[in-house]
Amino acid sequence: MKSIHTQRLHLKATVQADLDAVAAIWGDPEGGKFLPDPLYKSGAEIAEILEDDPQCPVYYFAARLLASPSFQGLEKGEIIGTCSLGLENAASREYSIGYTVKKDHWGKGYAGEMVCALIDLARELGIKALLAPIAQANTASQRVAEKCGFSVAGESAFTKSGTDIIFPTFIYKLNL
């Protein structure tokens, strides 16, 4: 999968060397709260996620900061978030997206940049619709989806893996 550049980010396919940084983001109790995945402790716990399944393609990206004078105090190449684009329904060619940003980078617009980049990639791939399942309690992520053109198309729920926690969910949709 190709790399994608946004104004401030480099979205690069997640590789083995990224997994500890990804696990730190997904494993943060506050930052990973609304992810369906368990709170990972190490990259080794998520290595199998990267394995390709041709029946259910998923594109995982690590979002790194690009070099810029306005990023004083930030490390170029630091992984500040992750995003993904994965097949949800083969018959309707609907894909789902997911995204998360490291807690100390919240509120800076990085999630919106990642989502816009995923929308552009989906169009390039000929995808007809994108879904974004978002916990109803996750209002910040809902605002990101709405700013990027998604609207609520339904409701569902998911259980956080390895827990009894059930999150009522809005299913956001964007027709392309």
Side-chain angles (χ1 to χ4, degrees):
M1 176 51 49
K2 69 177 190 164
S3 292
I4 302 168
H5 287 88
T6 69
Q7 180 182 354
R8 302 176 296 167
L9 300 173
H10 176 203
L11 306 182
K12 183 176 170 243
T14 305
V15 295
Q16 201 74 28
D18 301 333
L19 295 184
D20 284 337
V22 170
I25 295 168
W26 292 1
D28 177 73
E30 191 175 358
K33 178 179 181 176
F34 296 119
L35 297 176
D37 304 294
L39 296 176
Y40 294 106
K41 293 177 181 61
S42 73
E45 294 178 310
I46 58 176
E48 68 185 38
I49 291 175
L50 296 181
E51 295 175 11
D52 288 331
D53 178 356
Q55 301 301 316
C56 188
V58 180
Y59 306 100
Y60 291 102
F61 295 97
R64 292 173 166 73
L65 290 172
L66 292 173
S68 170
S70 64
F71 295 156
Q72 293 175 349
L74 300 178
E75 183 182 331
K76 176 189 173 196
E78 176 188 358
I79 295 176
I80 59 93
T82 66
C83 58
S84 63
L85 175 68
L87 183 63
E88 185 77 24
N89 183 324
S92 64
R93 299 259 317 134
E94 291 177 332
Y95 277 66
S96 63
I97 63 166
Y99 48 94
T100 188
V101 175
K102 200 172 176 181
K103 187 169 63 173
D104 55 339
H105 294 287
W106 287 356
K108 298 176 183 175
Y110 295 128
E113 277 187 52
M114 289 189 289
V115 171
C116 288
L118 291 176
I119 292 169
D120 290 343
L121 175 61
R123 285 189 174 112
E124 286 178 31
L125 295 172
I127 294 170
K128 302 298 179 203
L130 290 176
L131 302 175
I134 300 173
Q136 291 180 8
N138 190 350
T139 56
S141 192
Q142 291 170 34
R143 283 192 303 275
V144 169
E146 290 166 1
K147 284 180 182 178
C148 293
F150 286 79
S151 59
V152 176
E155 295 185 23
S156 186
F158 71 87
T159 302
K160 184 162 186 70
S161 181
T163 73
D164 296 343
I165 301 168
I166 297 172
F167 287 106
T169 306
F170 290 123
I171 305 298
Y172 281 80
K173 185 173 184 177
L174 176 66
N175 290 314
L176 301 175

